[in-house]
Coordinates of all heavy atoms in Angstrom, one line a residue:
P1 N 201.9 121.3 107.6 CA 201.8 120.6 106.4 C 200.7 119.5 106.4 O 200.0 119.3 105.5 CB 203.2 120.0 106.1 CG 204.1 120.9 107.0 CD 203.3 121.4 108.1
N2 N 200.7 118.7 107.5 CA 199.7 117.6 107.7 C 198.3 118.2 107.7 O 197.4 117.5 107.2 CB 200.0 116.8 108.9 CG 201.3 116.0 108.7 OD1 201.7 115.7 107.6 ND2 201.9 115.6 109.9
Y3 N 198.1 119.3 108.4 CA 196.8 119.9 108.5 C 196.3 120.3 107.1 O 195.2 120.0 106.7 CB 196.8 121.1 109.4 CG 195.5 121.8 109.5 CD1 194.4 121.2 110.1 CD2 195.3 123.0 108.8 CE1 193.2 121.9 110.2 CE2 194.1 123.7 108.9 CZ 193.0 123.1 109.6 OH 191.8 123.8 109.6
R4 N 197.2 121.0 106.3 CA 196.8 121.4 105.0 C 196.5 120.2 104.1 O 195.5 120.2 103.3 CB 197.9 122.2 104.3 CG 198.0 123.6 105.0 CD 199.1 124.4 104.3 NE 199.4 125.5 105.1 CZ 200.3 126.5 104.7 NH1 200.9 126.4 103.6 NH2 200.5 127.5 105.5
T5 N 197.3 119.2 104.2 CA 197.0 118.0 103.4 C 195.7 117.3 103.7 O 195.0 116.9 102.9 CB 198.2 117.0 103.6 OG1 199.4 117.6 103.2 CG2 197.9 115.7 102.7
S6 N 195.4 117.3 105.0 CA 194.1 116.7 105.4 C 192.9 117.5 104.9 O 191.9 117.0 104.6 CB 194.0 116.5 106.9 OG 194.0 117.7 107.6
I7 N 193.0 118.8 104.9 CA 192.0 119.7 104.3 C 191.8 119.4 102.9 O 190.7 119.2 102.4 CB 192.3 121.2 104.6 CG1 192.3 121.5 106.1 CG2 191.3 122.1 103.8 CD1 191.0 121.3 106.8
V8 N 192.9 119.3 102.1 CA 192.8 119.1 100.7 C 192.2 117.7 100.4 O 191.3 117.5 99.6 CB 194.2 119.2 100.0 CG1 194.1 118.7 98.6 CG2 194.6 120.6 100.1
R9 N 192.6 116.7 101.2 CA 192.1 115.3 101.1 C 190.6 115.3 101.4 O 189.9 114.6 100.7 CB 192.9 114.4 102.0 CG 192.7 113.0 101.8 CD 193.5 112.1 102.7 NE 194.9 112.5 102.9 CZ 195.9 112.2 102.1 NH1 195.7 111.4 101.1 NH2 197.1 112.7 102.4
S10 N 190.2 116.1 102.3 CA 188.7 116.1 102.7 C 188.0 116.7 101.5 O 186.9 116.2 101.1 CB 188.6 117.0 103.9 OG 187.2 117.2 104.2
R11 N 188.5 117.8 100.9 CA 187.8 118.5 99.8 C 187.7 117.5 98.6 O 186.8 117.5 97.9 CB 188.5 119.8 99.4 CG 188.3 120.9 100.4 CD 189.0 122.1 100.0 NE 188.7 123.2 101.0 CZ 189.4 124.3 101.1 NH1 190.3 124.5 100.2 NH2 189.1 125.1 102.0
E12 N 188.8 116.8 98.4 CA 188.8 115.8 97.3 C 187.8 114.7 97.5 O 187.2 114.3 96.5 CB 190.2 115.3 97.1 CG 191.2 116.3 96.5 CD 192.6 115.7 96.3 OE1 192.9 114.6 96.7 OE2 193.5 116.5 95.8
S13 N 187.6 114.3 98.7 CA 186.7 113.3 99.0 C 185.2 113.8 98.7 O 184.4 113.1 98.1 CB 186.8 112.9 100.5 OG 185.8 111.9 100.8
V14 N 185.0 115.0 99.1 CA 183.6 115.6 98.8 C 183.4 115.8 97.3 O 182.4 115.5 96.8 CB 183.5 117.0 99.6 CG1 182.2 117.7 99.1 CG2 183.5 116.7 101.1
L15 N 184.5 116.2 96.6 CA 184.4 116.3 95.2 C 184.0 115.0 94.5 O 183.1 114.9 93.7 CB 185.7 116.8 94.6 CG 185.8 116.9 93.1 CD1 184.7 117.8 92.5 CD2 187.2 117.4 92.6
R16 N 184.7 113.9 94.9 CA 184.4 112.6 94.4 C 182.9 112.2 94.6 O 182.3 111.7 93.8 CB 185.3 111.5 95.0 CG 186.7 111.5 94.4 CD 187.5 110.4 94.9 NE 188.8 110.4 94.3 CZ 189.9 110.9 94.9 NH1 189.8 111.3 96.2 NH2 191.1 110.8 94.3
E17 N 182.5 112.5 95.8 CA 181.1 112.2 96.2 C 180.1 113.0 95.3 O 179.1 112.4 94.8 CB 180.8 112.5 97.7 CG 179.5 112.1 98.2 CD 179.3 112.4 99.6 OE1 180.3 112.3 100.4 OE2 178.2 112.8 100.0
H18 N 180.3 114.3 95.2 CA 179.5 115.1 94.3 C 179.5 114.6 92.9 O 178.4 114.6 92.3 CB 179.9 116.6 94.4 CG 179.6 117.3 95.6 ND1 178.6 117.0 96.5 CD2 180.2 118.4 96.2 CE1 178.5 117.8 97.5 NE2 179.5 118.6 97.4
L19 N 180.6 114.3 92.4 CA 180.7 113.8 91.0 C 179.9 112.5 90.8 O 179.2 112.3 89.9 CB 182.1 113.6 90.5 CG 182.9 114.9 90.3 CD1 184.4 114.6 90.1 CD2 182.4 115.7 89.1
F20 N 180.1 111.6 91.8 CA 179.4 110.3 91.7 C 177.9 110.5 91.7 O 177.1 109.9 90.9 CB 179.8 109.4 92.9 CG 179.0 108.1 93.0 CD1 179.4 107.0 92.2 CD2 177.9 107.9 93.8 CE1 178.7 105.8 92.2 CE2 177.2 106.7 93.8 CZ 177.6 105.7 93.0
T21 N 177.4 111.4 92.6 CA 176.0 111.7 92.8 C 175.4 112.3 91.5 O 174.4 111.9 91.0 CB 175.7 112.6 94.0 OG1 176.1 111.9 95.1 CG2 174.2 113.0 94.1
M22 N 176.1 113.3 91.0 CA 175.6 114.0 89.8 C 175.6 113.1 88.6 O 174.7 113.1 87.8 CB 176.4 115.3 89.5 CG 176.1 116.4 90.4 SD 176.7 118.0 89.9 CE 178.5 117.7 90.1
R23 N 176.6 112.2 88.4 CA 176.7 111.3 87.3 C 175.5 110.3 87.4 O 174.9 109.9 86.4 CB 178.0 110.6 87.3 CG 179.1 111.5 86.8 CD 180.5 110.9 87.0 NE 181.5 111.8 86.4 CZ 182.8 111.9 86.8 NH1 183.2 111.0 87.7 NH2 183.6 112.7 86.2
S24 N 175.3 109.8 88.6 CA 174.1 108.9 88.8 C 172.8 109.5 88.4 O 172.0 108.9 87.8 CB 174.1 108.4 90.2 OG 175.2 107.6 90.5
L25 N 172.6 110.8 88.9 CA 171.4 111.5 88.6 C 171.2 111.8 87.1 O 170.1 111.9 86.6 CB 171.3 112.7 89.5 CG 171.1 112.4 91.0 CD1 171.1 113.7 91.8 CD2 169.8 111.6 91.2
I26 N 172.3 112.1 86.4 CA 172.3 112.4 85.0 C 171.8 111.1 84.3 O 170.9 111.2 83.4 CB 173.7 112.8 84.4 CG1 174.0 114.2 84.9 CG2 173.7 112.7 82.9 CD1 175.4 114.6 84.6
D27 N 172.3 110.0 84.7 CA 171.8 108.7 84.1 C 170.4 108.4 84.4 O 169.6 108.0 83.6 CB 172.7 107.5 84.6 CG 174.1 107.6 84.1 OD1 174.4 108.3 83.1 OD2 175.0 106.8 84.6
Q28 N 170.0 108.7 85.7 CA 168.6 108.4 86.1 C 167.6 109.4 85.3 O 166.6 108.9 84.9 CB 168.4 108.6 87.6 CG 167.1 108.2 88.1 CD 166.8 106.7 87.9 OE1 167.7 105.9 88.2 NE2 165.7 106.4 87.3
Y29 N 168.0 110.6 85.2 CA 167.2 111.6 84.5 C 167.0 111.1 83.0 O 165.9 111.2 82.5 CB 167.9 113.0 84.5 CG 167.2 114.1 83.7 CD1 166.4 115.0 84.4 CD2 167.3 114.2 82.4 CE1 165.7 116.0 83.7 CE2 166.7 115.2 81.7 CZ 165.9 116.1 82.4 OH 165.3 117.1 81.7
T30 N 168.1 110.7 82.4 CA 168.1 110.3 81.0 C 167.2 109.1 80.9 O 166.4 109.0 79.9 CB 169.5 109.9 80.5 OG1 170.3 111.1 80.7 CG2 169.5 109.5 79.1
L31 N 167.2 108.1 81.8 CA 166.4 106.9 81.7 C 164.9 107.3 81.9 O 164.0 106.8 81.2 CB 166.8 105.9 82.7 CG 168.1 105.2 82.3 CD1 168.6 104.3 83.5 CD2 168.0 104.4 81.1
D32 N 164.6 108.2 82.9 CA 163.3 108.6 83.2 C 162.6 109.4 82.1 O 161.5 109.2 81.8 CB 163.2 109.4 84.5 CG 163.5 108.5 85.7 OD1 163.6 107.3 85.6 OD2 163.8 109.1 86.8
K33 N 163.3 110.4 81.6 CA 162.8 111.4 80.7 C 163.0 111.0 79.2 O 162.4 111.7 78.3 CB 163.4 112.8 80.9 CG 163.3 113.3 82.4 CD 161.9 113.6 82.7 CE 161.9 114.2 84.1 NZ 160.5 114.4 84.6
K34 N 163.8 110.0 79.0 CA 164.1 109.5 77.6 C 164.8 110.6 76.8 O 164.7 110.7 75.6 CB 162.9 109.0 76.9 CG 162.2 107.9 77.7 CD 161.3 107.1 76.8 CE 160.6 106.0 77.6 NZ 160.9 105.6 78.9
K35 N 165.5 111.5 77.5 CA 166.3 112.6 76.9 C 167.3 113.0 78.0 O 167.1 112.9 79.2 CB 165.5 113.7 76.4 CG 164.8 114.5 77.6 CD 164.1 115.7 77.0 CE 163.6 116.6 78.2 NZ 163.0 117.8 77.7
G36 N 168.5 113.4 77.5 CA 169.5 113.9 78.4 C 169.2 115.3 78.9 O 168.6 116.1 78.2
P37 N 169.7 115.6 80.1 CA 169.5 117.0 80.6 C 170.4 117.9 79.8 O 171.5 117.5 79.4 CB 170.0 116.9 82.1 CG 170.9 115.7 82.1 CD 170.4 114.7 81.1
Q38 N 169.9 119.1 79.5 CA 170.6 120.1 78.7 C 171.5 120.9 79.6 O 172.4 121.5 79.1 CB 169.6 121.0 78.0 CG 168.7 120.2 77.1 CD 169.4 119.3 76.1 OE1 170.2 119.8 75.3 NE2 169.2 118.0 76.1
S39 N 171.3 120.9 80.9 CA 172.1 121.6 81.9 C 171.9 121.0 83.2 O 171.0 120.2 83.4 CB 171.8 123.1 81.9 OG 170.5 123.3 82.6
L40 N 172.8 121.3 84.2 CA 172.7 120.8 85.5 C 171.5 121.4 86.2 O 170.9 120.8 87.1 CB 174.0 121.1 86.3 CG 175.2 120.4 85.8 CD1 176.4 120.8 86.7 CD2 175.1 118.9 85.9
D41 N 171.0 122.6 85.7 CA 169.8 123.2 86.3 C 168.6 122.3 86.0 O 167.6 122.4 86.7 CB 169.7 124.6 85.8 CG 170.7 125.5 86.3 OD1 171.1 125.3 87.5 OD2 171.1 126.5 85.6
D42 N 168.6 121.6 84.9 CA 167.5 120.7 84.6 C 167.3 119.6 85.7 O 166.2 119.3 86.0 CB 167.7 119.9 83.3 CG 167.5 120.8 82.1 OD1 167.1 122.0 82.2 OD2 167.8 120.3 81.0
L43 N 168.4 119.2 86.3 CA 168.3 118.2 87.4 C 167.6 118.9 88.6 O 166.9 118.2 89.4 CB 169.7 117.7 87.8 CG 170.5 116.9 86.7 CD1 171.9 116.6 87.2 CD2 169.7 115.7 86.4
V44 N 167.9 120.2 88.8 CA 167.2 120.9 89.9 C 165.8 121.1 89.6 O 164.9 120.8 90.5 CB 168.0 122.2 90.2 CG1 167.3 123.0 91.3 CG2 169.4 122.0 90.6
S45 N 165.4 121.7 88.5 CA 164.1 122.0 88.1 C 163.1 120.8 88.1 O 162.0 120.9 88.4 CB 164.0 122.8 86.8 OG 164.4 122.0 85.7
E46 N 163.7 119.6 87.8 CA 162.9 118.4 87.7 C 162.9 117.6 89.1 O 162.3 116.5 89.1 CB 163.4 117.5 86.6 CG 163.2 118.1 85.2 CD 161.7 118.2 84.9 OE1 160.9 117.3 85.3 OE2 161.3 119.1 84.2
G47 N 163.6 118.2 90.1 CA 163.5 117.6 91.4 C 164.5 116.5 91.7 O 164.4 115.8 92.7
Y48 N 165.5 116.3 90.8 CA 166.5 115.3 91.0 C 167.6 115.8 92.1 O 168.2 115.0 92.7 CB 167.2 114.9 89.7 CG 166.3 114.1 88.8 CD1 165.4 114.7 88.0 CD2 166.4 112.7 88.8 CE1 164.5 113.9 87.2 CE2 165.6 111.9 88.0 CZ 164.6 112.6 87.2 OH 163.8 111.8 86.4
L49 N 167.8 117.1 92.1 CA 168.7 117.7 93.1 C 167.9 118.9 93.7 O 167.1 119.5 93.0 CB 169.9 118.3 92.4 CG 171.0 117.4 91.9 CD1 172.1 118.1 91.1 CD2 171.7 116.8 93.1
R50 N 168.2 119.2 94.9 CA 167.7 120.4 95.5 C 168.4 121.7 95.0 O 167.7 122.7 94.8 CB 167.8 120.4 97.0 CG 166.9 119.4 97.7 CD 167.0 119.5 99.2 NE 166.2 118.5 99.8 CZ 165.8 118.6 101.0 NH1 166.0 119.6 101.7 NH2 165.0 117.6 101.5
E51 N 169.7 121.5 94.8 CA 170.5 122.6 94.2 C 171.7 122.0 93.6 O 172.1 120.9 94.0 CB 170.8 123.7 95.2 CG 171.7 123.2 96.4 CD 171.9 124.2 97.4 OE1 171.2 125.3 97.4 OE2 172.8 124.0 98.2
V52 N 172.3 122.7 92.7 CA 173.6 122.2 92.1 C 174.6 122.3 93.2 O 174.8 123.4 93.8 CB 174.0 123.1 90.9 CG1 175.3 122.7 90.4 CG2 172.9 123.0 89.8
P53 N 175.3 121.2 93.5 CA 176.3 121.3 94.6 C 177.5 122.2 94.3 O 177.8 122.5 93.2 CB 176.7 119.8 94.8 CG 176.4 119.2 93.5 CD 175.3 119.9 92.9
T54 N 178.1 122.7 95.4 CA 179.3 123.5 95.3 C 180.5 122.6 95.0 O 180.7 121.6 95.7 CB 179.4 124.3 96.5 OG1 178.3 125.2 96.7 CG2 180.7 125.2 96.5
D55 N 181.3 123.0 94.1 CA 182.5 122.3 93.8 C 183.4 122.7 95.0 O 183.8 123.8 95.2 CB 183.2 122.8 92.5 CG 184.5 122.1 92.2 OD1 185.2 121.7 93.1 OD2 184.7 121.9 91.0
P56 N 183.9 121.7 95.8 CA 184.7 122.0 97.0 C 186.1 122.6 96.7 O 186.7 123.2 97.6 CB 184.7 120.7 97.8 CG 184.5 119.7 96.8 CD 183.6 120.3 95.7
I57 N 186.5 122.4 95.5 CA 187.8 122.9 95.2 C 187.8 124.4 94.8 O 188.6 125.2 95.1 CB 188.5 122.1 94.0 CG1 188.5 120.6 94.4 CG2 189.9 122.5 93.7 CD1 189.2 120.2 95.6
T58 N 186.7 124.7 94.0 CA 186.6 126.1 93.5 C 185.7 126.9 94.4 O 185.6 128.1 94.3 CB 186.0 126.1 92.1 OG1 184.7 125.6 92.1 CG2 186.9 125.4 91.1
N59 N 184.9 126.3 95.3 CA 183.9 126.9 96.2 C 182.9 127.7 95.4 O 182.4 128.7 95.8 CB 184.6 127.9 97.2 CG 185.4 127.1 98.3 OD1 184.9 126.1 98.7 ND2 186.5 127.7 98.6
S60 N 182.5 127.1 94.3 CA 181.4 127.7 93.4 C 180.6 126.5 92.8 O 181.1 125.5 92.5 CB 182.1 128.5 92.3 OG 181.1 128.9 91.4
N61 N 179.3 126.8 92.6 CA 178.5 125.8 91.9 C 178.3 126.1 90.5 O 177.6 125.5 89.8 CB 177.1 125.7 92.6 CG 176.2 126.9 92.4 OD1 176.7 127.9 91.9 ND2 175.0 126.8 92.8
S62 N 179.0 127.1 90.0 CA 178.9 127.5 88.6 C 180.2 127.1 87.8 O 180.3 127.4 86.6 CB 178.7 129.0 88.4 OG 179.8 129.7 88.9
T63 N 181.1 126.4 88.4 CA 182.4 126.1 87.7 C 182.4 124.6 87.1 O 183.4 124.2 86.5 CB 183.6 126.3 88.6 OG1 183.4 125.5 89.8 CG2 183.8 127.7 88.9
W64 N 181.3 123.9 87.3 CA 181.2 122.5 86.8 C 181.3 122.6 85.3 O 180.7 123.4 84.6 CB 179.9 121.8 87.2 CG 179.8 121.7 88.7 CD1 178.9 122.3 89.5 CD2 180.5 120.8 89.5 NE1 179.0 121.9 90.8 CE2 180.0 120.9 90.8 CE3 181.5 119.8 89.3 CZ2 180.5 120.2 91.9 CZ3 181.9 119.1 90.4 CH2 181.4 119.3 91.7
E65 N 182.1 121.6 84.7 CA 182.2 121.5 83.3 C 181.4 120.3 82.9 O 181.6 119.2 83.4 CB 183.7 121.3 82.9 CG 184.6 122.4 83.3 CD 184.4 123.6 82.4 OE1 184.0 123.5 81.2 OE2 184.6 124.7 82.9
T66 N 180.5 120.5 82.0 CA 179.6 119.4 81.5 C 180.1 118.9 80.1 O 180.7 119.7 79.4 CB 178.2 119.8 81.4 OG1 178.1 120.9 80.5 CG2 177.6 120.1 82.7
E67 N 179.9 117.6 79.9 CA 180.4 117.0 78.6 C 179.1 116.5 77.9 O 178.3 115.8 78.5 CB 181.3 115.8 78.9 CG 181.9 115.2 77.8 CD 182.8 114.0 78.2 OE1 183.4 114.1 79.2 OE2 182.9 113.0 77.4
T68 N 178.9 117.0 76.7 CA 177.8 116.5 75.9 C 178.3 115.8 74.7 O 179.4 116.1 74.2 CB 176.9 117.7 75.5 OG1 177.7 118.6 74.8 CG2 176.3 118.4 76.7
D69 N 177.4 115.0 74.1 CA 177.7 114.3 72.9 C 176.4 114.1 72.2 O 175.6 113.3 72.5 CB 178.4 112.9 73.2 CG 178.9 112.3 71.9 OD1 178.7 112.8 70.8 OD2 179.5 111.2 72.0
S70 N 176.2 114.9 71.1 CA 175.0 114.9 70.4 C 174.8 113.5 69.7 O 173.6 113.2 69.3 CB 174.9 116.0 69.4 OG 176.0 115.9 68.5
G71 N 175.8 112.7 69.5 CA 175.7 111.5 68.8 C 175.5 110.3 69.7 O 175.1 109.2 69.2
A72 N 175.7 110.5 71.0 CA 175.6 109.4 71.9 C 174.3 109.3 72.6 O 173.9 110.3 73.2 CB 176.7 109.4 72.9
L73 N 173.6 108.2 72.5 CA 172.3 108.1 73.2 C 172.5 107.0 74.3 O 173.0 105.9 74.0 CB 171.2 107.7 72.3 CG 170.9 108.8 71.2 CD1 169.8 108.3 70.3 CD2 170.5 110.1 71.9
F74 N 172.2 107.3 75.5 CA 172.4 106.4 76.6 C 171.4 105.2 76.6 O 171.8 104.1 76.9 CB 172.3 107.2 77.9 CG 172.4 106.4 79.2 CD1 173.7 106.0 79.6 CD2 171.4 106.1 80.0 CE1 173.9 105.2 80.7 CE2 171.5 105.4 81.2 CZ 172.8 105.0 81.6
A75 N 170.2 105.5 76.3 CA 169.2 104.4 76.3 C 168.7 104.2 74.9 O 168.7 105.2 74.1 CB 168.1 104.8 77.2
G76 N 168.2 103.0 74.6 CA 167.7 102.7 73.3 C 166.5 103.6 72.8 O 166.3 103.9 71.7
D77 N 165.7 104.0 73.8 CA 164.5 104.7 73.5 C 164.7 106.2 73.8 O 163.7 107.0 73.8 CB 163.3 104.2 74.2 CG 163.5 104.2 75.7 OD1 164.6 104.4 76.2 OD2 162.5 103.9 76.5
Q78 N 165.9 106.6 73.9 CA 166.2 108.0 74.2 C 166.0 108.9 72.9 O 166.4 108.5 71.9 CB 167.7 108.2 74.7 CG 168.1 109.6 75.1 CD 169.5 109.6 75.6 OE1 170.1 108.6 75.9 NE2 170.1 110.8 75.6
T79 N 165.3 110.0 73.1 CA 164.9 110.8 72.0 C 165.8 112.0 71.7 O 165.8 112.6 70.6 CB 163.5 111.3 72.1 OG1 163.4 112.1 73.3 CG2 162.5 110.2 72.2
Q80 N 166.6 112.5 72.8 CA 167.4 113.7 72.6 C 168.6 113.5 73.5 O 168.6 113.1 74.6 CB 166.6 114.9 73.2 CG 167.3 116.2 73.0 CD 166.5 117.3 73.6 OE1 165.4 117.1 74.0 NE2 167.0 118.5 73.5
A81 N 169.8 113.8 72.9 CA 171.0 113.8 73.6 C 171.2 114.9 74.5 O 170.4 115.9 74.4 CB 172.2 113.8 72.6
G82 N 172.1 114.9 75.4 CA 172.3 115.9 76.4 C 173.6 115.7 77.1 O 174.5 115.1 76.6
I83 N 173.6 116.1 78.4 CA 174.8 116.0 79.2 C 175.1 114.5 79.4 O 174.1 113.7 79.8 CB 174.7 116.7 80.5 CG1 174.5 118.2 80.3 CG2 175.8 116.3 81.5 CD1 174.2 118.9 81.6
I84 N 176.3 114.0 79.2 CA 176.7 112.6 79.5 C 177.7 112.5 80.6 O 177.8 111.4 81.2 CB 177.2 111.9 78.2 CG1 178.5 112.7 77.7 CG2 176.1 111.8 77.2 CD1 179.2 111.9 76.6
D85 N 178.3 113.6 81.0 CA 179.3 113.5 82.1 C 179.5 114.9 82.7 O 179.2 115.9 82.0 CB 180.6 113.0 81.6 CG 181.4 112.3 82.7 OD1 181.0 112.4 83.9 OD2 182.5 111.8 82.4
V86 N 180.1 115.0 83.9 CA 180.4 116.3 84.5 C 181.7 116.1 85.2 O 182.1 115.1 85.6 CB 179.3 116.6 85.6 CG1 179.2 115.6 86.7 CG2 179.4 118.0 86.1
H87 N 182.5 117.2 85.2 CA 183.8 117.3 85.7 C 184.0 118.6 86.5 O 183.2 119.6 86.3 CB 184.9 117.3 84.6 CG 184.8 116.1 83.7 ND1 185.3 114.9 84.0 CD2 184.3 116.0 82.5 CE1 185.1 114.0 83.0 NE2 184.5 114.7 82.1
S88 N 184.9 118.6 87.4 CA 185.3 119.8 88.1 C 185.9 120.8 87.2 O 186.7 120.4 86.3 CB 186.2 119.5 89.3 OG 186.7 120.7 89.9
G89 N 185.6 122.1 87.4 CA 186.2 123.1 86.6 C 187.4 123.7 87.2 O 188.0 124.7 86.8
A90 N 187.9 123.0 88.3 CA 189.1 123.5 89.0 C 190.4 123.3 88.2 O 190.6 122.3 87.6 CB 189.2 122.8 90.4
A91 N 191.2 124.3 88.3 CA 192.5 124.2 87.7 C 193.4 123.5 88.7 O 193.1 123.5 89.9 CB 193.1 125.6 87.4
G92 N 194.5 122.9 88.3 CA 195.4 122.3 89.2 C 195.2 120.8 89.3 O 194.4 120.2 88.7
N93 N 196.1 120.2 90.1 CA 196.2 118.8 90.2 C 195.8 118.4 91.7 O 196.0 119.1 92.6 CB 197.6 118.2 89.9 CG 197.9 118.4 88.5 OD1 197.1 118.5 87.6 ND2 199.2 118.6 88.2
S94 N 195.3 117.1 91.8 CA 195.0 116.6 93.1 C 196.2 116.1 93.8 O 197.3 116.2 93.2 CB 194.0 115.4 92.9 OG 194.7 114.4 92.2
L95 N 196.1 115.6 95.0 CA 197.2 115.1 95.7 C 197.9 113.9 95.1 O 199.1 113.7 95.2 CB 196.7 114.7 97.2 CG 196.3 115.8 98.1 CD1 195.8 115.3 99.4 CD2 197.5 116.8 98.3
D96 N 197.1 113.2 94.2 CA 197.7 112.0 93.5 C 198.3 112.4 92.2 O 198.8 111.6 91.4 CB 196.7 110.9 93.4 CG 195.6 111.2 92.4 OD1 195.6 112.3 91.8 OD2 194.7 110.3 92.3
G97 N 198.3 113.7 91.9 CA 198.9 114.3 90.7 C 198.0 114.3 89.4 O 198.4 114.8 88.4
T98 N 196.8 113.9 89.5 CA 195.9 113.9 88.4 C 195.1 115.2 88.4 O 194.8 115.8 89.4 CB 194.9 112.8 88.4 OG1 194.1 112.8 89.5 CG2 195.6 111.4 88.2
P99 N 194.9 115.8 87.2 CA 194.1 117.1 87.1 C 192.7 116.9 87.6 O 192.1 115.9 87.3 CB 194.1 117.4 85.7 CG 195.1 116.6 85.0 CD 195.3 115.4 85.9
Y100 N 192.2 117.8 88.4 CA 190.8 117.7 88.9 C 189.8 117.7 87.7 O 188.8 117.0 87.8 CB 190.5 119.0 89.7 CG 191.1 119.0 91.1 CD1 192.0 120.0 91.4 CD2 190.9 118.0 92.0 CE1 192.7 120.0 92.6 CE2 191.5 118.0 93.2 CZ 192.4 119.0 93.6 OH 193.1 119.0 94.8
S101 N 190.2 118.3 86.6 CA 189.3 118.3 85.5 C 189.2 117.0 84.8 O 188.3 116.8 84.0 CB 189.7 119.4 84.4 OG 191.0 119.0 84.0
S102 N 190.0 116.0 85.1 CA 189.9 114.7 84.5 C 189.1 113.7 85.4 O 188.9 112.6 84.9 CB 191.4 114.1 84.3 OG 191.9 113.8 85.6
W103 N 188.7 114.1 86.5 CA 187.9 113.2 87.4 C 186.6 113.0 86.9 O 185.9 113.7 86.3 CB 187.9 113.8 88.8 CG 189.2 113.7 89.6 CD1 190.4 113.4 89.1 CD2 189.3 113.9 91.0 NE1 191.3 113.5 90.1 CE2 190.7 113.7 91.2 CE3 188.5 114.2 92.0 CZ2 191.2 113.8 92.5 CZ3 189.0 114.3 93.3 CH2 190.4 114.1 93.5

């Protein structure tokens, strides 16, 4: 039981790190380009990421859930809305009881 818990805790730590990094890069992309990224692949094609990271809970890089808001502009001189947040697409709850999709 302790071994399994430590594996899950490790995956959750990596997930938090990936989410922090992608959120920071979404903000940086938006400030640099004056428009929000339309997909996570935009971060790769523009050199902000080498590749879309793998969600450690789902073991896939295609399960990320992006949040867009066409009415929200991050910067005053932003010309086009896009992705404003990213979440894990994993079903289930973390060790602390919160859904992974709410992180």
